[in-house]
């Protein structure tokens, strides 16, 4: 009987790496689909990033995720970028294609995939809370998915204006920046509200972004990027107002499904991956 003990390798480079649950989700999918692949969670400091990427190349890794603080720094070590990673200016998924390491960004694609289960974003007006890395990725993918207008609400004007300018310059959608001063009231005519700030993330689970909950109406979809806890205070308030909601676990699973497709070519079972995360009891 012949054996093949060589397992295709994927993984993640981040610092800190210990709290990232992606490994549980991806390895559950590998097992479910009988793929002999592995996903190895690696703690890589900024000064070691170049060596880590060269190591992945040398060992023939099929790809890897990059998380904080490597999403921009990794670009100089790669051979090329996919379309949205190029626009966003950050990479969270690297894919080995024909001997080249290509940077992709699935943060926003995962979000749009999860949102797509609830509504078709095209033509909608969006309120985007936050203007950090996640917000930037979500804004670009929503724009490429055909939303009409994005209002970027953020405390820091510099970051908020930069995201709005990026959308206006690089995508067919229109965008404007609104300063976040006091409680923000969601304007009438908004179809989708997205929390892409870090407000509500464990352990700060009692916090909600400072918006007027009475301005949420039942025709709005409210999406939260926070995956821990999945049922944030914001989503609870939105559900109480009759809004449809999309949680951050869906965004995380969506990214995983897209990453697996890039690496292995298979359409992974999203429910198996979501259950693997739920089983962690985050
Ligand atoms: P960044 O640090 O790049 O950005 C943080 C954003 O949150 C900024 O816009 C910041 O505003 C804003 N913010 C922070 N505190 C407050 C506050 N008290 N009030 C209002 N705004 C605030 O982080 P990322 O963009 O990388 O990540 C943001 C969140 O998205 C994280 O919590 C992360 O868990 C989540 N995420 C989820 C993913 C998923 O798959 N579910 C994937 C990626 C991220 P300012 O610019 O004014 O400082």
């Amino acid at each position: 009987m012949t054996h093949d003990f060589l397992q295709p390798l994927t993984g993640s480079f981040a610092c800190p790496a210990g709290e990232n649950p992606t490994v549980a989700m991806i390895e559950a999918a590998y097992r479910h689909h009988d793929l002999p692949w592995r996903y190895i969670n690696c703690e890589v400091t900024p000064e070691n990033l170049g060596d880590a990427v060269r190591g992945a190349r040398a060992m023939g890794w099929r790809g890897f995720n990059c998380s904080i603080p490597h999403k921009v720094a990794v670009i100089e070590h790669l051979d090329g970028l996919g379309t949205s990673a190029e626009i966003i200016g950050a990479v969270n998924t690297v894919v080995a294609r024909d001997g080249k390491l290509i940077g992709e960004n699935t943060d926003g694609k995962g979000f749009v995939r999860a949102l797509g289960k609830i509504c078709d974003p095209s033509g909608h007006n969006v309120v985007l809370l936050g203007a950090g890395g996640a917000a930037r990725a979500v804004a670009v993918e929503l724009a490429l998915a055909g939303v009409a207008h994005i209002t970027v609400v953020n405390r820091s004007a510099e970051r908020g204006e930069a995201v709005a300018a990026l959308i206006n310059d690089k995508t067919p959608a229109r965008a404007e920046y609104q300063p976040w001063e006091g409680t923000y009231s969601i304007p009438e005519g908004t179809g989708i509200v997205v929390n892409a700030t870090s407000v509500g993330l464990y352990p700060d689970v009692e916090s909600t972004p400072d918006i007027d909950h009475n301005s949420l109406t039942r025709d709005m979809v409210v999406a939260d990027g926070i995956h821990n806890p999945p049922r944030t205070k914001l989503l609870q308030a939105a559900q109480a107002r009759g809004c449809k909601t999309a949680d951050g676990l869906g965004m995380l699973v969506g990214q995983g499904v897209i990453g697996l497709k890039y690496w292995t070519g298979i359409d992974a079972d999203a429910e198996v991956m979501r259950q693997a995360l739920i089983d962690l009891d985050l």
Side-chain angles (χ1 to χ4, degrees):
M1 188 175 181
T2 56
H3 292 283
D4 185 355
F5 293 111
L6 196 58
Q7 294 180 301
L9 296 180
T10 56
S12 173
F13 300 160
C15 185
E19 287 178 12
N20 188 338
T22 304
V23 55
M25 169 178 87
I26 301 282
E27 290 228 311
Y30 288 161
R31 282 193 300 274
H32 179 76
H33 294 283
D34 283 330
L35 291 172
W37 290 49
R38 297 305 308 272
Y39 185 98
I40 301 165
N41 198 27
C42 306
E43 179 127 328
V44 175
T45 58
E47 60 275 20
N48 285 326
L49 179 63
D51 283 346
V53 177
R54 280 186 287 280
R57 263 187 213 278
M59 290 185 276
W61 281 35
R62 304 300 183 88
F64 53 90
N65 289 126
C66 275
S67 195
I68 289 172
H70 304 316
K71 289 185 181 181
V72 175
V74 74
I75 292 173
E76 65 173 285
H77 303 292
L78 304 178
D79 304 310
L81 296 179
T83 308
S84 41
E86 179 102 51
I87 299 176
I88 295 162
V91 164
N92 77 335
T93 304
V94 175
V95 189
R97 291 190 186 121
D98 303 327
K100 293 200 162 89
L101 291 182
I102 306 299
E104 300 281 358
N105 196 312
T106 64
D107 276 333
K109 290 182 200 293
F111 175 84
V112 168
R113 187 182 186 282
L115 183 70
K117 308 265 178 219
I118 294 165
C119 75
D120 176 0
S122 68
H124 277 298
N125 294 327
V126 175
V127 167
L128 178 65
L129 306 171
R136 205 175 165 84
V138 164
V140 167
E141 296 302 343
L142 282 173
L144 296 179
V147 301
H149 187 273
I150 303 177
T151 304
V152 182
V153 182
N154 198 53
R155 294 177 312 185
S156 145
E158 195 184 336
R159 295 220 265 178
E161 278 165 358
V163 173
L166 181 73
I167 297 306
N168 287 326
D169 293 348
K170 300 277 177 64
T171 80
R174 298 297 85 204
E176 65 176 317
Y177 166 65
Q178 285 282 326
W180 202 339
E181 287 157 351
T183 303
Y184 183 77
S185 191
I186 307 296
E188 270 179 44
T190 300
I192 302 167
V193 180
V194 185
N195 175 33
T197 73
S198 45
V199 179
L201 183 64
Y202 179 85
D204 198 14
V205 299
E206 293 301 319
S207 299
T208 58
D210 191 3
I211 62 167
D212 179 3
H213 291 166
N214 291 324
S215 66
L216 294 171
T217 52
R218 55 186 311 116
D219 53 336
M220 296 176 186
V221 173
V222 179
D224 205 328
I226 300 294
H227 69 271
N228 182 12
R231 198 155 180 272
T232 57
K233 287 271 165 191
L234 172 65
L235 294 188
Q236 291 175 38
Q239 284 163 4
R241 301 274 309 159
C243 305
K244 287 187 185 156
T245 58
D247 67 24
L249 272 190
M251 177 176 178
L252 194 58
V253 170
Q255 288 179 45
V257 169
I258 295 163
L260 274 169
K261 179 81 176 176
Y262 282 147
W263 293 332
T264 68
I266 67 156
D267 292 306
D269 186 328
E271 271 316 305
V272 166
M273 296 167 74
R274 188 177 171 93
Q275 193 58 47
L277 292 171
I278 291 169
D279 290 346
L280 297 174
D281 200 17
L282 294 172

